[in-house]
Amino acid sequence: VVVSSVEESSIWTGSQSGVISNASGLIVADNGRELLILAKYSPLKSSQFFRVEFADGSLHQASFKQKDANLDIAIFSVAKDEISDATKEKIKIADMGNSTRFAQGRTLIAVGRPFGYDNGVAYGVASTLGETVLHADGEYEIIVTDMPYSENGSGFLFDIYGKVMGYIDANVVGHSAGAMVAYGISEITNEIEMMSNGKHVPYAGILGMMVTEEASELYEIPVGLYVTEVEKDSPAMNAGIQSGDVITKIGKVEVTSLDAYHDALYKLEAGFSAKFKGQRYGTEEYVDMDFTVAIGIKE
C-alpha cells in the first residue's frame, strides 16, 4: 500500500494537492478491528492526518498507532469496517519470512519505493549477508543486494515465494558501494509486534560493543557491553552512563552479548526505571557503578 501524510482537507479525496509526502507500506497484521501497516516514519511525521491507498486504488483514512524513531519505522492502522468487501479481496496480510535463513545469491524482489517513487519494482540477489549495523540499544543484520541504491529509496524485499525478507531503507548505512540495503525482517520483528500492540519500543540510548572473555583477558576490560557512545539527552545519559563504561547487568540479567542486552531492555517498559550495573575505570582499576535508568522512547 501507499501511506500518505496529508492536509486534513484531502483525507477523503483523490486529490494529490493536499498530499505532503508518501511512504511505501506493508500490511503486517489484522487484529480483528484494524489492518496494521508498517511504513517508514520520517517522511510522514510532519502531519497529524494520514491516508492509505490500497492495491485497487481505494483511499482510506489511517491513524498513527506507534513509532520507533530509532529504526525510523511506524505502524498505521485502517478500520476494517470502513473497507469494502471488494477491496478486501484485493489485499493480503504480508507473509513474513525468516531472513536469518536466507542464502547469499538467492533472488530478491524489491517492491514499494525502492527508487524513490511509488509502485517501483526491482529484481536482484542477496550479494552479502551477515553484515550488521549498530543503532542505539541494538545491532541489526542487514541484507546487501546487487540492486542500485537510491537516496530516497524505501520499501520491502520479497523472495520468489512471496515471503517478506527485508525492509529497505536508504539510511541503514551510508552505504555499501551504491547498493540497495535492507534490514533483515527477522531483525525487526520485536519492534513490529510492540508497535502493532500500541506499545512503546523501550529506549536507553547506548551504543557499544561486547567485551568477550578473550578480549577481557587480553585488554583487562570487564566482560560486558563496552559503551562507545551515549546518545545526547537519552535516558542513559541522564542516568550518568558515559562512554568507556562497561554495562554488566540490567536488573538481574547478565549482559553476555548484545542480544542479551537488547532482550533484557525489551522486557522493560517505557516510563519505568531499571537498575543498570556496570564498571568504570578509575585512577588505577575498574570500579563498580550503579545506574538508575528511566526507560524512555526515542523522539
Side-chain angles (χ1 to χ4, degrees), residues 60-259:
H60 292 271
Q61 183 177 5
S63 299
F64 169 80
K65 198 166 185 75
Q66 199 52 267
K67 71 176 187 298
D68 179 6
N70 199 30
L71 294 177
D72 195 17
I73 53 180
I75 293 290
F76 298 85
S77 64
V78 175
K80 288 182 65 179
D81 59 9
E82 296 179 1
I83 303 172
S84 70
D85 290 340
T87 296
K88 289 176 182 176
E89 291 178 359
K90 301 286 186 181
I91 60 180
K92 185 176 184 289
I93 309 300
D95 188 1
M96 299 296 193
N98 185 345
S99 60
T100 62
R101 295 184 178 180
F102 199 72
Q104 186 177 19
R106 286 179 60 184
T107 301
L108 287 165
I109 305 166
V111 178
R113 297 172 59 87
F115 303 118
Y117 52 82
D118 291 334
N119 301 316
V121 178
Y123 302 87
V125 299
S127 58
T128 305
L129 298 172
E131 287 191 15
T132 60
V133 58
L134 278 175
H135 283 292
D137 305 317
E139 182 179 44
Y140 299 85
E141 287 195 4
I142 58 174
I143 299 171
V144 182
T145 77
D146 66 345
M147 292 176 271
Y149 162 91
S150 172
E151 184 176 357
N152 299 314
S154 66
F156 304 91
L157 295 179
F158 291 80
D159 67 10
I160 59 173
Y161 304 103
K163 292 184 180 292
V164 183
M165 286 295 159
Y167 161 65
I168 302 164
D169 186 350
N171 299 317
V172 169
V173 273
H175 185 268
S176 213
M180 184 186 298
V181 181
Y183 293 102
I185 199 66
S186 300
E187 298 292 294
I188 61 174
T189 298
N190 285 341
E191 288 83 353
I192 293 171
E193 289 181 355
M194 284 184 182
M195 293 187 296
S196 295
N197 290 322
K199 295 182 178 179
H200 292 297
V201 176
Y203 168 68
I206 295 173
L207 288 88
M209 62 180 69
M210 282 306 302
V211 179
T212 62
E213 293 281 358
E214 294 80 3
S216 176
E217 292 180 9
L218 183 61
Y219 298 107
E220 298 183 344
I221 300 174
V223 174
L225 177 61
Y226 182 88
V227 179
T228 57
E229 182 182 347
V230 180
E231 292 197 331
K232 184 178 179 181
D233 297 327
S234 66
M237 175 175 280
N238 293 335
I241 296 174
Q242 302 175 4
S243 298
D245 291 345
V246 181
I247 304 302
T248 56
K249 282 187 176 182
I250 297 180
K252 296 181 179 180
V253 179
E254 292 191 6
V255 177
T256 56
S257 67
L258 266 170
D259 285 344

Side-chain angles (χ1 to χ4, degrees), residues 20-37:
I20 299 170
S21 61
N22 295 328
S24 179
L26 185 73
I27 307 172
V28 293
D30 175 350
N31 66 11
R33 306 180 312 277
E34 309 162 306
L35 293 181
L36 303 173
I37 296 165

Side-chain angles (χ1 to χ4, degrees), residues 266-286:
Y266 273 30
K267 290 177 181 176
L268 305 174
E269 291 187 34
F272 291 85
S273 294
K275 298 292 185 182
F276 282 44
K277 287 188 174 292
Q279 294 196 314
R280 178 178 294 170
Y281 192 76
T283 54
E284 295 182 352
E285 61 183 0
Y286 278 90

